[in-house]
Amino acid sequence: MMDQFNLRYSRLSKLVLVPLIILPLLILQIASSDLDSDRQSLIAFANSVPHVRELNWNASSSVCSWFGVTCASDSSRVIALRLPGTGLYGPIPANTLGKLDALRTLSLRSNFLSENIPADISNMTFLENLSVQNNNLSGNLPISLPSSLIVVDLSFNSLSGQIPDLNLPKLKRFNISNNNLNGSIPNSLQKFPNTSFAGNSLLCGTPLPPCSRFFLSPSSPPLESSPTPSTRSSTNNLSTGVIIAIAAGILTVLMLLALFVLVCMLRKKSNQSNGVRRAKEKSSNGGRIEKAVEKSSSGAREAEKNKLVFFEGCSYNFDLEDLLRASAEVLGKGSYGTAYKAVLEDGTLVVVKRIKDVTIGKREFEQQMEIIGNIRKHPNVLPLRAYYHSKDEKLLVFDHVPTGSLGFHLHANRESGRTPLNWESRVKIALGTARGLAHIHKEGGSKFTHGNIKSSNILVTQELDTRVTDFGLAPLMNFPAIPRNMVGYRAPELIETGKSSQKSDVYSFGVLLLELLTGKAAVPSIGSEEILDLPRWVQSVVREEWTAEVFDAELMNYPKIEDEMVHMLQIAMACVVKSPDQRLKMDDVIKMITDLGQPDSENRPSSEDRSKDSTLVTSPLEET
Ligand SMILES: *[C@@H]1O[C@H](CO)[C@@H](O)[C@H](O)[C@H]1NC(C)=O
Ligand SMILES: *[C@@H]1O[C@H](CO)[C@@H](O)[C@H](O)[C@H]1NC(C)=O
């Protein structure tokens, strides 16, 4: 009896007690082996990633006491690694940090780490904070990141490609600004502010400007659904997106088919009977490329709606569909609407202006476009390449000039170490602008005006070549209105009557010259109290005979240019005289600027294109 009991007891004790004792031992051993593995991962990392600052990760001391390393409270695992500004450089090797699978915080910001973010980062299934901003990481983002993440900062790297639709349900802060990412922002990340995405010129969609949605009228179905993230599950979004994409695809194919059939039919038809009429139409259109079709058949009317009208001499080869698919970035909001930089799928770069508040009818609009489109073939004019007109959208397509406007070069970051435009450059820009404007006046006819001369509409290339843009658009709007941000450039009679003329363009050009000379803005800029009426200010200063005071201080370091500056000032003042009839003509202006500083031209070898006949610069100030 007793034996039996003992036997039973000892069996029981074996069954129960042995595991009770062994299990904790086992756990302890596993724990220490994990810490040991963390240690080895860290050592592998330190050995393969050069670093400027010494880490002093001493093999004989405990991992948990190492610089930048934090362990869990029971010292069982490494849970944080913080090495900001440690001078780490080169790639992060796989199988090093990726093995720290208990890590909650990984901060490697402000180093020189480069190449891809290793994919094994997704093994860190407890990671909450990933801060690797201010490095040189490149390549695509990993397709998956730990779903435990709460803070992700990847800003100021060189990451490229599209942002994958990361599934990060706990994410509170996300910053991927200042990389080279492109494409649209996934739905799940659209709740973050635009500063989270800024500085990726090819990124688009909420919260950034839409991805080429400038064609989508309120009546047409949206290209991509953009519901508030909280109201719909992501699977819902996905299926809606897929459905819309499929529908759009089918629609596109159908429309292309219809267009193809139509074009074939028309080719036949025009070859037979309509040749004469079409030829007539073409010549009266000033040779614009008609991708369109006749208005008689009903299908043609559909095609007509989606017609992008190109002008002759334009080498672009895309259509509305292509523009629709392009990614777009807002360049700026101008007097007449918003300008976008659009990147087509084949990499073509164009500027698309979306015109608001057009008050005239389609016919008049097209007539004005014809006039504008035919002003071209001049090196100082930015030509209109194509336009689009529908009830809800009016679009203009231009070449992209990458470097910026005169206004930008003249006024942006004056304080902060910018290289100022020197006198040579300013003369070159003044001359280019004068030539461009004279060409516009000549080609457009005596009634045609630029209507919006100001420094932000003078584009300047790397070589300081000038392109005058944004001309001839005022007649599209009926408001007695001159764009508000043109205030400082408006001629007195323009303010009174609201009617622009070539004379009022000359006035605006004169203000532009004053801007070049004084370095002062003619429109109020944010945070500065600039003088609005430059001509009046200059007159008052000159009357007091402190002429030198009017010139831009940035020009004062250049020797021997004062005479030229005074002459330029006289030209400017002769453009801004009150009476329109007494103002210079653009041709005179060109001649006078060309002759500027003629007597000592040997000092200025780069101004090769100055005319040789030396007309004395009269002083228009004294004349009028
Ligand atoms: C950044 O990385 C690229 C290659 O990925 C390299 O060519 C470049 O030198 C790196 N720049 C710096 C500052 O480390
Ligand atoms: C993202 O980082 C940039 C640069 O550090 C900063 O200017 C911006 O405010 C940040 N945005 C957010 C939402 O954290």
Side-chain angles (χ1 to χ4, degrees):
M1 191 64 187
M2 199 60 192
D3 273 6
Q4 230 177 354
F5 174 80
N6 275 340
L7 193 70
R8 273 209 195 147
Y9 177 80
S10 78
R11 268 200 193 149
L12 200 73
S13 71
K14 262 184 193 154
L15 273 172
V16 177
L17 292 179
V18 169
L20 268 182
I21 295 162
I22 288 174
L23 252 178
L25 280 176
L26 255 172
I27 290 171
L28 254 177
Q29 194 162 2
I30 290 169
S32 73
S33 80
D34 275 349
L35 190 63
D36 196 50
S37 130
D38 285 352
R39 205 181 75 125
Q40 307 210 329
S41 307
L42 287 169
I43 300 243
F45 174 76
N47 286 342
S48 51
V49 179
H51 38 278
V52 176
R53 250 174 78 181
E54 205 51 61
L55 290 175
N56 288 324
W57 283 355
N58 192 336
S60 63
S61 64
S62 157
V63 142
C64 299
S65 66
W66 285 0
F67 173 78
V69 175
T70 308
C71 288
S73 53
D74 61 358
S75 295
S76 58
R77 296 296 307 264
V78 170
I79 58 162
L81 178 63
R82 295 187 184 86
L83 299 171
T86 318
L88 300 165
Y89 58 92
I92 305 172
N95 283 320
T96 55
L97 298 186
K99 284 186 163 172
L100 299 171
D101 54 11
L103 215 58
R104 288 167 199 274
T105 296
L106 177 59
S107 170
L108 301 172
R109 68 189 153 83
S110 306
N111 284 290
F112 310 103
L113 295 166
S114 57
E115 299 187 21
N116 290 339
I117 298 173
D120 60 9
I121 201 166
S122 63
N123 297 344
M124 302 178 177
T125 48
F126 297 98
L127 192 66
E128 292 172 353
N129 182 340
L130 174 64
S131 300
V132 289
Q133 65 269 37
N134 296 307
N135 278 286
N136 187 19
L137 297 167
S138 58
N140 295 341
L141 282 170
I143 44 171
S144 88
L145 288 175
S147 59
S148 47
L149 277 166
I150 298 172
V151 173
V152 171
D153 197 334
L154 304 170
S155 59
F156 288 101
N157 279 288
S158 307
L159 298 165
S160 56
Q162 310 214 329
I163 306 178
D165 200 354
L166 300 162
N167 177 24
L168 303 173
K170 296 184 178 159
L171 199 60
K172 289 268 160 24
R173 247 196 66 209
F174 183 71
N175 201 333
I176 201 155
S177 63
N178 301 292
N179 281 283
N180 305 319
L181 295 155
N182 62 30
S184 59
I185 294 167
N187 281 337
S188 61
L189 298 172
Q190 293 181 351
K191 62 186 167 190
F192 293 102
N194 55 4
T195 59
S196 292
F197 305 97
N200 292 281
S201 58
L202 302 180
L203 211 53
C204 59
T206 317
L208 297 179
C211 303
S212 69
R213 295 182 70 174
F214 20 80
F215 304 104
L216 298 179
S217 57
S219 54
S220 57
L223 233 202
E224 40 178 25
S225 56
S226 50
T228 51
S230 55
T231 52
R232 284 211 228 165
S233 78
S234 63
T235 50
N236 240 343
N237 284 340
L238 189 74
S239 58
T240 322
V242 168
I243 289 168
I244 289 174
I246 291 171
I250 291 173
L251 206 73
T252 311
V253 169
L254 283 180
M255 277 176 55
L256 284 179
L257 262 177
L259 204 75
F260 180 70
V261 170
L262 263 165
V263 167
C264 286
M265 278 168 56
L266 279 169
R267 279 246 172 99
K268 250 189 185 165
K269 213 175 162 190
S270 68
N271 281 349
Q272 292 161 3
S273 61
N274 262 346
V276 180
R277 200 166 72 84
R278 285 180 59 81
K280 234 185 211 167
E281 219 174 67
K282 215 174 173 189
S283 64
S284 74
N285 279 339
R288 80 179 180 197
I289 299 162
E290 286 262 15
K291 286 198 172 174
V293 272
E294 300 222 330
K295 289 170 187 167
S296 50
S297 79
S298 64
R301 223 165 285 136
E302 277 310 303
E304 179 83 2
K305 269 189 193 161
N306 279 338
K307 190 179 69 175
L308 205 52
V309 182
F310 286 87
F311 290 100
E312 197 185 28
C314 155
S315 59
Y316 289 131
N317 186 22
F318 57 84
D319 57 18
L320 199 62
E321 303 286 333
D322 297 327
L323 259 192
L324 198 73
R325 281 195 300 265
S327 64
E329 172 202 349
V330 173
L331 283 178
K333 293 202 188 341
S335 316
Y336 305 111
T338 307
Y340 300 82
K341 179 167 101 182
V343 187
L344 302 171
E345 270 174 353
D346 69 354
T348 307
L349 206 59
V350 291
V351 170
V352 179
K353 274 198 181 141
R354 183 186 200 181
I355 309 286
K356 289 186 316 231
D357 304 326
V358 172
T359 51
I360 61 173
K362 181 166 186 181
R363 251 201 112 82
E364 286 164 283
F365 183 91
E366 287 175 343
Q367 281 166 359
Q368 187 69 9
M369 288 301 117
E370 288 298 334
I371 302 175
I372 298 174
N374 284 324
I375 297 175
R376 54 183 183 271
K377 290 192 198 107
H378 191 281
N380 298 120
V381 172
L382 187 75
L384 175 64
R385 293 305 194 184
Y387 73 88
Y388 169 79
H389 183 289
S390 75
K391 196 164 124 282
D392 304 302
E393 287 293 356
K394 284 91 191 163
L395 306 167
L396 311 183
V397 179
F398 298 92
D399 296 344
H400 180 249
V401 179
T403 50
S405 71
L406 171 60
F408 174 82
H409 287 293
L410 213 47
H411 307 304
N413 352 300
R414 273 218 156 213
E415 278 78 37
S416 63
R418 176 192 58 117
T419 320
L421 283 175
N422 64 17
W423 180 242
E424 282 277 298
S425 313
R426 295 188 202 201
V427 173
K428 184 170 180 187
I429 292 168
L431 190 57
T433 307
R435 286 183 172 147
L437 185 55
H439 180 76
I440 290 168
H441 283 173
K442 212 167 295 156
E443 294 265 302
S446 62
K447 291 261 161 56
F448 189 82
T449 68
H450 183 294
N452 198 10
I453 286 277
K454 56 181 179 182
S455 58
S456 58
N457 281 337
I458 310 301
L459 305 180
V460 180
T461 69
Q462 199 78 49
E463 295 75 33
L464 297 171
D465 288 328
T466 308
R467 308 262 189 284
V468 179
T469 180
D470 228 26
F471 49 90
L473 301 183
L476 305 180
M477 331 269 143
N478 246 341
F479 46 71
I482 318 309
R484 249 190 303 145
N485 44 6
M486 196 200 153
V487 255
Y489 297 90
R490 289 183 300 183
E493 78 278 6
L494 183 58
I495 296 171
E496 250 168 53
T497 66
K499 281 216 169 73
S500 70
S501 64
Q502 295 195 343
K503 296 285 183 193
S504 63
D505 278 351
V506 172
Y507 183 97
S508 305
F509 176 81
V511 178
L512 191 89
L513 284 188
L514 292 178
E515 201 173 340
L516 277 168
L517 284 161
T518 62
K520 293 191 189 304
V523 291
S525 54
I526 301 159
S528 88
E529 291 293 314
E530 288 284 6
I531 318 119
L532 279 191
D533 197 334
L534 267 184
R536 244 171 66 202
W537 178 74
V538 170
Q539 255 153 2
S540 70
V541 176
V542 172
R543 202 175 300 131
E544 304 284 335
E545 291 188 12
W546 350 299
T547 313
E549 306 274 321
V550 305
F551 297 123
D552 188 347
E554 286 183 348
L555 289 175
M556 288 318 193
N557 300 329
Y558 302 98
K560 292 188 180 174
I561 58 167
E562 192 153 335
D563 279 356
E564 289 192 30
M565 292 201 298
V566 171
H567 282 163
M568 188 72 103
L569 185 65
Q570 289 168 337
I571 299 170
M573 295 313 281
C575 291
V576 298
V577 289
K578 189 145 182 287
S579 157
D581 291 332
Q582 290 180 331
R583 287 178 204 148
L584 293 177
K585 292 205 170 57
M586 285 319 295
D587 283 339
D588 305 331
V589 172
I590 293 172
K591 195 159 171 42
M592 291 166 86
I593 299 178
T594 312
D595 292 347
L596 206 63
Q598 193 66 27
D600 55 352
S601 60
E602 64 274 14
N603 292 342
R604 303 155 38 92
S606 69
S607 33
E608 77 292 338
D609 52 7
R610 294 192 173 162
S611 99
K612 289 285 167 276
D613 61 348
S614 56
T615 316
L616 250 168
V617 181
T618 54
S619 169
L621 259 189
E622 288 150 25
E623 261 179 12
T624 53

